Amino acid sequence: MFLGFPGDLLMRMLKMMILPLIVSSLISGLANLEMKSSGRMGGRAVLYYMSTTFLAVVLGIILVSAIKPGNRFSKEDLTESTGTPDLVVTSDKILDLVRSVFPDNLVTSSFEQVITEYGHIDCAPGPERPGICNLTHKIVKRYKDNPNDTMYYTIHVNTKSGVNILGILVFSIAFGIILGGMGDGGKPLKDFFNCLSEVSMKIVNLIIWYSPIGVCFLIAAKLVDIEDLGGVLSSLGFYMLTVLVGLAIHGLIVVPLIYFIFVRKNPFIFIYGIIQAMVTAFATSSSSATMPVTMRCLEERNKIDKRVASFVIPVGATINMDGTALYEAVAALFIAQLNNKSMTAGDIVVTSITATIASIGAAGVPSAGLITMIIVLNAVGLPDDDVAYIIAVDWFLDRFRTMINVLGDSIGAGIVNHYSVGELDSHPDEQEMEETSYQDPPEYPEKEGNVNNGFSQIPAGASDSTPM
């Protein structure tokens, strides 16, 4: 308990800054942009995110098909687990995602998330439960190994503790774009959010000084909690190897190569500038908690335009999950191999598409990928109970895939900055235009004679009157 206390303080301070940093940076960044420029920048960012996420999924499928980690041992060998996953229905998770985009209350969105919950009911026939399982109830069936063994659940929409990042993100984007189109009428609000963003970054700079201590204690406390680390690593070694190799290839070859192709600069110099953010991501397992550090590294070390970083990084921390998408693809095919199920080409295509889309809905918090993992399993008809076999090592792999998520966000900011900063600078502010409009008139050299700037010169000592 005491060993993890300094690390817990770091996590609390980073999470404290998520909300003010997202709102202030997004609104101030978009309000100072022209709508045309922000639209182009957003299009480039989304295109990059979707492309790299899909490449990560394809890479994971290729590696798990080549290494075949699920064929090297049986389910009985996997004795380490930390629990049984909850029931997850893909359609309900998609609806929860849409509900999160449009929150009914912005205040509660800062500490509550929408979630569909299921209550198990007993549908065995009996005089005490007449009609309890009729069609008027919202019932979902969950089949286990025996198709005749059916469990019934009631469905209801509830809330759970946590920040609804997606809803706040969408509102801040809309607010910033509309504020930017108001001109002088929105200047007081622009000044307010510009000041709030500046104050938030100064507080983040103070937290950064404490982060090395917190990072060390976070990792130490997690290692102490593992009772049999050697046993877990040996039973799931090839599965972990497959995920780690995929993340290494994606983070050290694929993403840097994309940066080099489009920016024509050394990607590893750029990566060196965000090392502090990647270490924080490894310690916290949260791309959202790492976001303040990421933005600081990009702006101060890699000289990314603040307007670009304040737009790309919050969006990327929400929808760009390269590491999570690769992990989900590997885990899905790993579980299929455990169950001796041959995956058809159609199943692999479904896995690719579902893992790409599901990773977008993954929250930027520790182990959020487990929920979206169940969505992928349901899409291809695999037993979601088998997620319990990989929960034992998820804490470890989650740290590496969070590093890749943060790396992908940062590289995306570098690419978008390369193509967008020129467009942003090509539109001077109204104040600059006003200053250039009222410059002093140019001075023309005087010619010998009696003409000065179009007016007749009067010789010194001459009278205003003309001689008669």
Side-chain angles (χ1 to χ4, degrees):
M1 177 179 178
F2 294 104
L3 181 63
F5 181 72
D8 181 59
L9 289 180
L10 175 64
M11 286 291 294
R12 295 176 70 88
M13 288 189 290
L14 290 174
K15 290 179 179 179
M16 173 187 67
M17 296 307 302
I18 291 176
L19 192 60
L21 191 62
I22 286 180
V23 174
S24 63
S25 61
L26 263 181
I27 293 179
S28 64
L30 290 174
N32 294 321
L33 292 178
E34 283 196 356
M35 191 173 299
K36 185 176 180 181
S37 299
S38 61
R40 289 179 178 176
M41 186 168 62
R44 293 185 181 114
V46 172
L47 178 62
Y48 165 82
Y49 292 151
M50 297 302 295
S51 300
T52 55
T53 300
F54 186 74
L55 287 175
V57 171
V58 173
L59 175 61
I61 291 175
I62 292 174
L63 288 176
V64 75
S65 300
I67 300 177
K68 299 184 184 300
N71 294 340
R72 298 178 183 272
F73 43 81
S74 62
K75 286 185 177 182
E76 288 72 19
D77 297 328
L78 304 178
T79 57
E80 295 286 341
S81 65
T82 58
T84 302
D86 297 329
L87 173 64
V88 174
V89 178
T90 303
S91 58
D92 291 331
K93 284 301 173 184
I94 294 175
L95 293 178
D96 288 344
L97 184 63
V98 177
R99 293 188 187 102
S100 298
V101 173
F102 304 101
D104 59 350
N105 190 317
L106 283 175
V107 176
T108 58
S109 294
S110 62
F111 55 85
E112 285 184 353
Q113 297 176 345
V114 179
I115 184 175
T116 301
E117 293 183 342
Y118 308 91
H120 176 246
I121 59 174
D122 186 3
C123 287
E128 297 179 358
R129 293 180 296 274
I132 194 172
C133 293
N134 57 29
L135 296 178
T136 60
H137 289 75
K138 295 180 178 180
I139 302 299
V140 62
K141 299 179 181 180
R142 184 188 185 192
Y143 295 97
K144 295 196 173 182
D145 295 336
N146 184 3
N148 295 324
D149 185 10
T150 304
M151 300 184 71
Y152 296 85
Y153 297 82
T154 56
I155 305 176
H156 58 279
V157 178
N158 206 341
T159 58
K160 68 175 182 178
S161 177
V163 181
N164 180 8
I165 295 292
L166 193 58
I168 295 175
L169 186 74
V170 172
F171 173 80
S172 299
I173 291 175
F175 192 96
I177 292 175
I178 294 175
L179 180 62
M182 292 179 61
D184 292 338
K187 191 174 185 304
L189 270 181
K190 288 182 184 178
D191 294 339
F192 170 77
F193 284 108
N194 287 337
C195 183
L196 180 60
S197 177
E198 190 71 22
V199 171
S200 299
M201 289 306 299
K202 289 184 179 296
I203 296 177
V204 169
N205 289 337
L206 296 177
I207 297 175
I208 295 303
W209 285 94
Y210 175 73
S211 62
I213 300 174
V215 166
C216 293
F217 281 95
L218 271 175
I219 299 175
K222 193 62 184 181
L223 291 175
V224 170
D225 287 340
I226 303 300
E227 296 180 358
D228 186 12
L229 182 61
V232 174
L233 296 181
S234 63
S235 61
L236 291 169
F238 280 100
Y239 164 72
M240 296 175 61
L241 177 65
T242 305
V243 175
L244 293 176
V245 169
L247 294 176
I249 293 175
H250 187 77
L252 298 177
I253 298 177
V254 177
V255 175
L257 184 61
I258 294 175
Y259 180 85
F260 176 76
I261 292 174
F262 287 97
V263 183
R264 295 294 180 180
K265 293 182 180 179
N266 189 338
F268 296 102
I269 296 178
F270 185 91
I271 294 174
Y272 178 77
I274 59 169
I275 286 294
Q276 188 176 24
M278 296 180 65
V279 172
T280 306
F282 182 84
T284 61
S285 295
S286 172
S287 54
S288 294
T290 310
M291 186 170 56
V293 185
T294 306
M295 294 178 64
R296 176 180 177 272
C297 291
L298 289 174
E299 294 174 13
E300 297 184 4
R301 297 186 179 182
N302 288 339
K303 307 304 178 184
I304 299 298
D305 191 286
K306 182 178 180 180
R307 295 167 292 180
V308 176
S310 64
F311 176 78
V312 174
I313 295 303
V315 174
T318 305
I319 69 173
N320 183 44
M321 301 287 178
D322 294 353
T324 302
L326 186 146
Y327 156 81
E328 289 172 352
V330 171
L333 269 69
F334 169 73
I335 291 175
Q337 293 169 359
L338 279 180
N339 290 274
N340 295 319
K341 178 182 178 181
S342 59
M343 299 286 282
T344 64
D347 291 334
I348 294 178
V349 171
V350 171
T351 302
S352 304
I353 297 175
T354 308
T356 302
I357 297 175
S359 65
I360 297 175
V365 296
S367 297
L370 283 177
I371 299 299
T372 54
M373 178 72 253
I374 298 176
I375 296 176
V376 178
L377 295 179
N378 289 335
V380 291
L382 293 171
D384 50 26
D385 286 345
D386 287 355
V387 172
Y389 296 125
I390 60 177
I391 289 178
V393 295
D394 181 74
W395 69 271
F396 181 72
L397 297 177
D398 189 28
R399 299 176 184 276
F400 287 95
R401 64 177 185 256
T402 304
M403 288 177 61
I404 299 302
N405 292 340
V406 172
L407 173 62
D409 295 344
S410 303
I411 292 291
I415 295 175
V416 173
N417 181 79
H418 177 73
Y419 286 95
S420 300
V421 71
E423 297 174 356
L424 301 178
D425 294 338
S426 64
H427 301 286
D429 295 334
E430 292 181 5
Q431 182 178 0
E432 294 176 353
M433 294 178 65
E434 184 178 352
E435 291 175 357
T436 57
S437 300
Y438 292 94
Q439 290 179 347
D440 294 332
E443 297 182 359
Y444 299 96
E446 297 183 7
K447 295 182 180 180
E448 295 182 359
N450 60 345
V451 178
N452 181 16
N453 294 336
F455 296 94
S456 298
Q457 282 186 336
I458 301 176
S463 173
D464 291 340
S465 62
T466 58
M468 298 296 293

